[in-house]
Amino acid sequence: MKRFYVALAALGMLFATSCTTEQTSVVEMEEDFVTISLGVENVLGSRAISDGTSVDQLMYAFFTEDGKEIVLNKTIKNGITSLTGSEALTMKVTLTKGHKYKAVFWAQNSECKAYDVTSDMKVNIDYSGPNNDENRDAFFGVSNSFEVDGGAVTVTLKRPFAQLN
């Protein structure tokens, strides 16, 4: 009977040591930053009722190159003052080096309740309320596909809605 228990213990130790000798491969991901430069397309040359200065909130998210998966969830930056200025708004974002991404941007007035931007950057619009409200001014932009290598990406934001006069 002792031999049975000794054999059973030896068999258990054999299985335990065989599991610990398995090798798992770990892929290390190196991170790098990308500099995003945001500008607004011809604000003063448009027929919009607003000059764009009421826009003080920026929302953005990063997706895989094909746009199917969110890599960096929706982020909100309040207090944006330089979006419609003479210089572009610049920010640095850290992502996985060597991978390709696309970025989506939405800018609006932080007090505006007409737009609801979901976590996957889809915009739902409430059309009730005054039409010529400067607080409803908004801009959007989508970057071209880019690879993270410490370089820079320029995105031009545009007004998403046409104005009929």
Side-chain angles (χ1 to χ4, degrees):
M1 194 67 161
K2 279 186 175 182
R3 282 186 185 197
F4 175 73
Y5 288 123
V6 170
L8 188 60
L11 188 61
M13 289 174 61
L14 178 66
F15 283 127
T17 58
S18 67
C19 291
T20 59
T21 59
E22 288 182 20
Q23 294 182 358
T24 57
S25 61
V26 176
V27 178
E28 290 190 28
M29 299 286 188
E30 186 178 343
E31 292 183 337
D32 203 349
F33 67 89
V34 62
T35 302
I36 306 288
S37 179
L38 297 173
V40 176
E41 179 184 62
N42 204 9
V43 174
L44 297 176
S46 70
R47 294 188 196 181
I49 61 160
S50 174
D51 61 1
T53 56
S54 67
V55 173
D56 63 354
Q57 183 179 66
L58 176 69
M59 293 174 241
Y60 59 91
F62 287 81
F63 294 80
T64 54
E65 182 181 24
D66 60 7
K68 293 182 180 179
E69 291 182 50
I70 296 176
V71 177
L72 181 62
N73 290 329
K74 179 177 94 172
T75 304
I76 300 173
K77 276 185 127 175
N78 289 309
I80 302 300
T81 57
S82 61
L83 188 61
T84 56
S86 59
E87 292 184 24
L89 172 67
T90 305
M91 56 192 222
K92 288 187 178 185
V93 179
T94 303
L95 296 165
T96 305
K97 187 174 184 174
H99 288 230
K100 291 189 175 185
Y101 301 97
K102 280 189 178 177
V104 176
F105 300 91
W106 179 266
Q108 69 178 31
N109 184 296
S110 58
E111 295 177 9
C112 181
K113 303 299 179 213
Y115 312 119
D116 176 37
V117 182
T118 62
S119 61
D120 58 352
M121 296 301 290
K122 292 180 182 169
V123 179
N124 298 310
I125 304 167
D126 178 7
Y127 290 102
S128 63
N131 292 327
N132 293 335
D133 184 359
E134 193 167 316
N135 285 339
R136 287 185 170 217
D137 202 5
F139 297 92
F140 81 100
V142 178
S143 73
N144 292 325
S145 176
F146 63 89
E147 185 172 339
V148 176
D149 58 2
V153 175
T154 301
V155 179
T156 302
L157 302 179
K158 302 175 183 181
R159 285 196 164 96
F161 310 110
Q163 178 180 346
L164 299 175
N165 291 332

